[in-house]
Amino acid sequence: MFPVWEVPNIGSGWVIGLIAVLHVFISHFAIGGGAFLAFTEQLAYKKNDDRIYDYLKKHSKFFLLLTTVLGAMSGVGIWWAIGLASPNGTQTLLQNFSLFWAVEYIFFALELATFLAYYYTWDKLDRKTHLKLAWIYIGISYFTLFAINGILTFMLNSGGWDFTKGNIGDAFFNPSFWPALGLRMFIMMALAGIYAFFTLSREKTMDLDVKAYLLKYSAKWLLPAVILGPLFVIAYLFTLPEPTQQVIINGLSTIGVGNFSIMAKAIFMTMVFAVGLFGMVLAGPYLNPRAFNTSFAVMLLAAGFGFMFTEEWSREMMRKPYVVYNYMYSNGLRKFEVDKVNKEGFFNHHKFAGAELTTLKPNDELGKGQLMFRYQCTSCHTAKGNGYRSMKVMLATRDKDAIKNLLTMMKENHIVDNKGVAKTMYHGYMPPVVGHQDEIDALATYLATLNSDPAKTTTAKVESSNS
Amino acid sequence: MSIPTLKNLNIVQTVVDWLDERVPLKAAVEFAGHKEVPVHKHSIWYYMGGIAALFMGIQFATGFLLMFHYVPTFEGAYASVQAINMQVPFGWLIRSMHSWGANVFILVLFIHMFSTYFMKAYRAPREFTWLSGLGLVGIAMVFGFTGYMLPMDEIAYFATKVGVDVAGESPFIGPYLAEFVRGGSEIGQVTMNRFFSLHVIALPLAMMGLFGLHATLIQLQGISEPESIQKLPKAERKYEKFFPDFFKKDVFVWFAVFVAFMLVVTMKPWGLGPQVDPAAMAPIGIKPEWYFLSQFQALKLFPAKILFFDGVHVAMVFIGTVFGSLAVVPILDSTGKIPFISKFATVYGVIFFIGWLFLTIWGSL
Ligand code: HEM
């Protein structure tokens, strides 16, 4: 096991989230935008229209800059962030998919090489040959989508896959693979349209009729998402693990109080963003292309990013409390180890935590509790302040006894009866607390100090009434 | 209308023609296209009225749905709101939209009001557009005040009590006014009846009527241009038809604003405080909603006695005068031909805006 990375106040989840979504937002463009270039070049070729060619040259420059510079930076950023925040998760991913990652990297290099060739030969190759390069690019980038999709869907839904002797092919083509692949494709096409709106809006010298034509044309790239998207979402939801389905259905209609309120909120916002984008594209570039300008384009990009953010966030939440479904929790704990750790004691089991414990004074309850919190809770919670899922806020008025009860419940988190019905309400979004009773009591002692100022807690009560 | 033969049958066209003979559709579209919207660098403010209209729509729609489950009784209200929040499917959503919507609506109205003020859109012939607009802000704020009481949680009750007590301090009519609003000497079922019927019958009718006037005047008179644009040579001034051109932009912005709005509505669903116990002491630090804070803060600044007068009375008259001046100053400047008054209106607006912002922020601390 590795040490835990802590980001004060925002919590490591948000840092990973923002970098990851930025990366997704760009890398999806690398695929969808590639398809856009190819199909549009095909169109220009057929119409033999220089004006479309001129636009494509500029658009491909934008494409190159964005995907290589920002795309690569955010990609490295992700590995750095998950590597630090959840080293065990990364390890499992690397172990099980090392072959795929290697292939992925080769394809990424190929992708880049093809695109550079494509970009620098606009005026050097004849149009027919150049067009072929575009199709080659699509072929390669589509393969990366294929590979990534297998990995992501596996993390969310490992099905009944056996981690010790399962067949890697079954892991890859897990039940969610095909619906998720379709959805990603539609989203990529939609994003390609949205990015094209942006570069089109920057065109100052383009003939207005051509611009209007291309805006309308780009708007049609959202059609598959609009028409087929909902069907695929339903298909996708049916492939998810049963408990996840239940949580989604119950959560949506009673968001204010549901256990899984955050996930329901994320899913709900994904739908709102989708509807909003549809309305904006319809009223804007599709029906009113002549009045379209950069401000509108930026609003569309922002809405697109919002959609990606909530969509990726929903997917992450569905997998909570796991990093790899049914196998490893977000805080690095492996599911099959739970009973063992409870027997051995947390600090005996976890080498790094145990080492840190020895640096404390022998009877430092508070320090011990804080360590428990660092290692078991900070992958999802901040301690003080109003940060990401702040413990101080969530615990509010609870005293030490109440906190002890809560931790006892959290200890039984993973226990479900043979129908899959959980013993505690925390099941499905938090990993169980693990450790000996004295270790858990130390955690309670620490948590109880977060809100020990009684004056503050009473005002918090009044204020919470209208928030 | 020519009789369609199979050859030239165009279903949409046929239906439109049929309808047009009975309802003057084409005339309506032409009427709407008649209005032109100037296109220039300050055009962004022209979206504000439309956004206000969007939120008016949201308030009417969600309010209508809330009434399916809300029980307007002194004892039952709290439980019914709790049920809306927790049991009624998507009740949390409708209530959160309505409560957040009320605040955003008023915020947008303020922005709309200040922007039309500073663009001097109130000048002749648009004085009545301005006055009807002022009436709409007033109505919106009364909407807010009456609505705030309805959930009957602790803060709702005590904020209402404070508000009515303040009104009771007005010179001469104060005590009668407070008595009339409460329907007695204490806030109770009768108060609730009055607030509820204001909130769901009288105010909506008044708002729709006044908005009808507002919108009709705008349609007839067109949108004004700020002075800086009026000065430009004709060739540099651009216009677009309100319908369908500007309207499509309006729709785009509506969707964008709606998504942003829903983000807040969903991520921070409107809560419900503890049930009120009218016999208990008011919790300390009760404050009115943010849009009443400037008045509330101003009140506190007056000493108890000014010469022979009660400080509160002087304060109420002062506050009333300041807000009333919003109806007077633009009328003085309505010709725009007297440079001194025109300057004065601008400076007055700036002072008003800064003072209002300052007091609101101070009041919230
Ligand atoms: C229910 C509330 C209101 C709605 C739905 C509404 C709606 C509108 C709309 C759609 C426009 C035309 C587009 C624009 O200029 O923004 C407009 C114009 C205008 N509004 Fe409002 N408005 C409301 C309240 C107000 C208020 C509170 C004021 C000021 C006290 C006001 C003053 C004006 C003026 C002076 C114009 C003319 C603007 C011009 O010609 O340049 N309105 N309103």
Side-chain angles (χ1 to χ4, degrees), chain B residues 317-353:
Chain B
V317 172
F318 175 78
I319 294 171
T321 312
V322 169
F323 278 86
S325 69
L326 285 181
V328 178
V329 175
I331 303 304
L332 293 179
D333 184 31
S334 74
T335 64
K337 297 229 167 66
I338 313 166
F340 165 72
I341 295 193
S342 177
K343 266 254 153 53
F344 169 76
T346 310
V347 173
Y348 185 78
V350 172
I351 295 174
F352 184 98
F353 178 69

Side-chain angles (χ1 to χ4, degrees), chain A residues 252-257 265 268-269 272-273 275-276 279-280 283-285 287-288 291 296 299-300 313 462 465-467, chain B residues 47 86 88-90 92-93 148 153 155 245 248-249 251-253 255-256 259 262-263 266-267 269-274:
Chain A
L252 276 183
S253 59
T254 51
I255 221 160
V257 288
K265 284 175 186 175
F268 185 72
M269 275 320 295
V272 172
F273 271 112
V275 172
M280 286 161 83
L287 288 177
N288 198 12
F296 291 122
M299 281 194 256
L300 280 170
W313 187 23
V462 174
S465 59
N466 68 5
S467 67
Chain B
Y47 290 108
M86 310 227 197
V88 179
F90 295 97
W92 68 270
L93 176 67
Y148 204 47
D153 58 359
I155 191 151
D245 296 340
K248 286 184 206 158
K249 294 187 181 175
V251 174
F252 182 98
V253 171
F255 273 104
V259 170
M262 288 303 280
L263 200 57
T266 311
M267 299 320 293
W270 203 265
L272 182 66

Side-chain angles (χ1 to χ4, degrees), chain B residues 49-103:
Chain B
I51 298 176
L54 168 70
F55 280 99
M56 189 171 72
I58 291 179
Q59 290 312 96
F60 283 144
T62 52
F64 171 73
L65 289 174
L66 282 175
M67 288 230 285
F68 287 14
H69 289 274
Y70 177 75
V71 178
T73 63
F74 200 63
E75 265 82 39
Y78 183 83
S80 72
V81 175
Q82 205 167 32
I84 290 173
N85 251 19
M86 310 227 197
Q87 281 152 22
V88 179
F90 295 97
W92 68 270
L93 176 67
I94 301 300
R95 173 156 184 264
S96 189
M97 282 176 79
H98 197 73
S99 308
W100 276 109
N103 287 279

Side-chain angles (χ1 to χ4, degrees), chain B residues 9-216:
Chain B
L9 180 73
N10 175 336
I11 299 195
V12 177
Q13 195 57 45
T14 313
V15 172
V16 169
D17 286 345
W18 184 88
L19 265 179
D20 191 50
E21 273 183 3
R22 286 146 189 93
V23 190
L25 277 185
K26 286 176 186 159
V29 169
E30 200 185 295
F31 180 61
H34 187 67
K35 179 171 87 175
E36 295 211 314
V37 181
V39 182
H40 51 75
K41 60 176 189 262
H42 304 298
S43 293
I44 185 172
W45 302 113
Y46 295 146
Y47 290 108
M48 292 306 154
I51 298 176
L54 168 70
F55 280 99
M56 189 171 72
I58 291 179
Q59 290 312 96
F60 283 144
T62 52
F64 171 73
L65 289 174
L66 282 175
M67 288 230 285
F68 287 14
H69 289 274
Y70 177 75
V71 178
T73 63
F74 200 63
E75 265 82 39
Y78 183 83
S80 72
V81 175
Q82 205 167 32
I84 290 173
N85 251 19
M86 310 227 197
Q87 281 152 22
V88 179
F90 295 97
W92 68 270
L93 176 67
I94 301 300
R95 173 156 184 264
S96 189
M97 282 176 79
H98 197 73
S99 308
W100 276 109
N103 287 279
V104 178
F105 182 34
I106 290 176
L107 180 69
V108 171
L109 286 184
F110 283 162
I111 298 174
H112 180 50
M113 178 177 85
F114 282 118
S115 64
T116 48
Y117 184 95
F118 288 117
M119 293 209 294
K120 300 200 183 279
Y122 51 71
R123 281 184 182 160
R126 298 187 177 78
E127 294 94 330
F128 285 115
T129 314
W130 172 259
L131 292 176
S132 61
L134 270 190
L136 286 167
V137 191
I139 295 174
M141 288 172 74
V142 182
F143 253 123
F145 186 69
T146 50
Y148 204 47
M149 174 183 174
L150 300 179
M152 282 310 264
D153 58 359
E154 203 170 50
I155 191 151
Y157 176 84
F158 286 107
T160 306
K161 189 165 164 14
V162 172
V164 178
D165 288 349
V166 169
E169 300 284 357
S170 316
F172 312 118
I173 54 161
Y176 306 102
L177 183 67
E179 185 87 12
F180 175 69
V181 169
R182 280 192 295 253
S185 57
E186 284 302 322
I187 292 181
Q189 183 61 49
V190 183
T191 324
M192 184 122 218
N193 292 347
R194 288 175 190 198
F195 274 46
F196 186 64
S197 62
L198 268 177
H199 194 84
V200 304
I201 298 173
L203 293 173
L205 283 177
M207 183 168 264
M208 282 192 278
L210 210 51
F211 175 65
L213 175 66
H214 195 71
T216 311

